[in-house]
Amino acid sequence: AAGGGGAGEDTSFRWQCVEQPIGKLLFQRFLEGAPGLAAAGALWAELEAYERCEEAERSGAAAALRKRFFTPGGAEHCSFLSAAATATPTGEAPPTAAAMTVMAAMT
């Protein structure tokens, strides 16, 4: 139903703020403009960059992400992240899935 919030409309964070370009842009601008959430916006941008980087660069990029955002005292430590979200992965799984779940929990 157009504009009515009817049944069948996807109101999930992922659909509204990740998959829809205008929703994504507006949410990212909100994060950048909110003093306590700017680090979350930076983390999101870096996670997207991580997803685009070459396979050979991923290990170094993941280490930089963990140091910058997941480590207490890091340049932009995201203290709102759970211990599970910031745990060093076993193997070299990308941190994106956990971080996107955290972003969804913030809304």
Side-chain angles (χ1 to χ4, degrees):
E9 283 188 22
D10 190 349
T11 59
S12 69
F13 170 84
R14 178 166 220 31
W15 185 81
Q16 291 183 1
C17 298
V18 176
E19 295 173 7
Q20 296 300 311
I22 190 67
K24 180 178 180 177
L25 177 65
L26 291 172
F27 189 69
Q28 287 175 330
R29 286 191 177 167
F30 164 74
L31 292 174
E32 292 167 1
L37 301 176
L43 173 59
W44 188 342
E46 290 300 318
L47 288 171
E48 288 185 333
Y50 174 87
E51 290 176 345
R52 292 187 304 270
C53 75
E54 298 292 327
E55 190 65 35
E57 301 169 342
R58 287 193 171 219
S59 180
L65 278 167
R66 284 190 293 271
K67 182 178 179 184
R68 180 176 170 190
F69 298 105
F70 301 168
T71 305
E76 295 180 89
H77 178 239
C78 294
S79 60
F80 57 85
L81 294 172
S82 70
T86 62
T88 302
T90 55
E92 197 49 50
T96 56
M100 291 310 290
T101 299
V102 170
M103 292 291 186
M106 290 174 36
T107 61

